[in-house]
Amino acid sequence: MAEQDVPALVGTPTPDAVLAAVAEHGAVLLRGGWRHEDYVALGDALMTASPYQGGFHDERDVIGGDPTTTTVTRGTQGMPLHREASYAPGAPDLLMFRCERPAADGGATTLCDGLALLAALPATVRAACEELTLRWESELPTPVWQRMCGTTDPAAAERMLRQWEPYLRPWESIHIDVDEDAMTVGFGTRCTPPTLFEGVPAFCNSLFISRPQPGEYHDRRLRVRSGTGAPVPEDLVATAADVAARLTVAVPWRSGDVLVVDNSRYLHGRQAFTDAGRAVAVRMGHLRKEGAA
């Protein structure tokens, strides 16, 4: 696995320069001892930051009372490559990480370019991926969905969740089923959705996080199947994982580094580590409209 095979900018580049580098390369590493307040200011210039919603996935800690800035997922396990929040409506356009303190050993963030991954797949597998739709399903026990939605009325909860529908992209859909024990929320999307800047297909999804390796983080609250209801072919996922492993690069952290990632193009993960003092923050959000013009 190569290290730091992403463009690095030194000093304090302007937001326009950072955005141009992300649009061209998909990810950019900012070296130079970024202070927390400068990291936040850069994020606010690039995107409308999303506040952390921990009702379903309570796996991060808010930093400094700012709900748009949190720790990364707790724990020291490795994290399979994935697209952030690809299993739900409103997946962020940009991710911004800042390292306060690197791990003494391991703990590098891993990256894989979904454009390069799709192009490197065998032709038959690539074609299958481009045709494949996914349905991510979350089964919420009744007490959980009632707490999340603030109601005991299933119809009211469904109306609340369907408020997302006007904001869905053309290839996305929502499916909701309620019985006396649980609510199952399904989110339909593509295996290869178009990228933010170029609008071309990329292998950018969370299939690998649904098939973790031994010792890696495993989110058992999510399940995935194809849009037809059939299982996602195991050989397709295995082939893509093998190719991704060859293309993955590791970004070793230094204190004050900032990493900006196009979440529609790059998969990201992390290497396992043992140093519980590792401290990495994350912000995420949608590109500001003036930045997309």
Side-chain angles (χ1 to χ4, degrees), residues 103-172:
D105 182 47
T109 291
T110 52
L111 294 174
C112 182
D113 186 345
L115 287 178
L117 172 52
L118 184 62
L121 293 174
T124 55
V125 177
R126 181 168 64 250
C129 288
E130 290 177 332
E131 292 294 322
L132 179 63
T133 58
L134 304 175
R135 183 182 294 189
W136 290 95
E137 293 182 335
S138 306
E139 187 175 283
L140 309 175
T142 295
V144 174
W145 70 254
Q146 289 179 345
R147 183 174 66 252
M148 283 178 55
C149 299
T151 180
T152 59
D153 180 1
E158 181 170 347
R159 286 194 299 271
M160 189 194 78
L161 292 170
R162 290 196 180 279
Q163 290 178 355
W164 273 103
E165 287 183 321
Y167 305 99
L168 296 178
R169 285 114 170 177
W171 59 89
E172 297 176 341

Side-chain angles (χ1 to χ4, degrees), residues 271-286:
Q271 295 175 340
F273 57 100
T274 58
D275 180 1
R278 179 186 190 265
V280 177
V282 64
R283 307 186 82 216
M284 57 189 77
H286 292 91

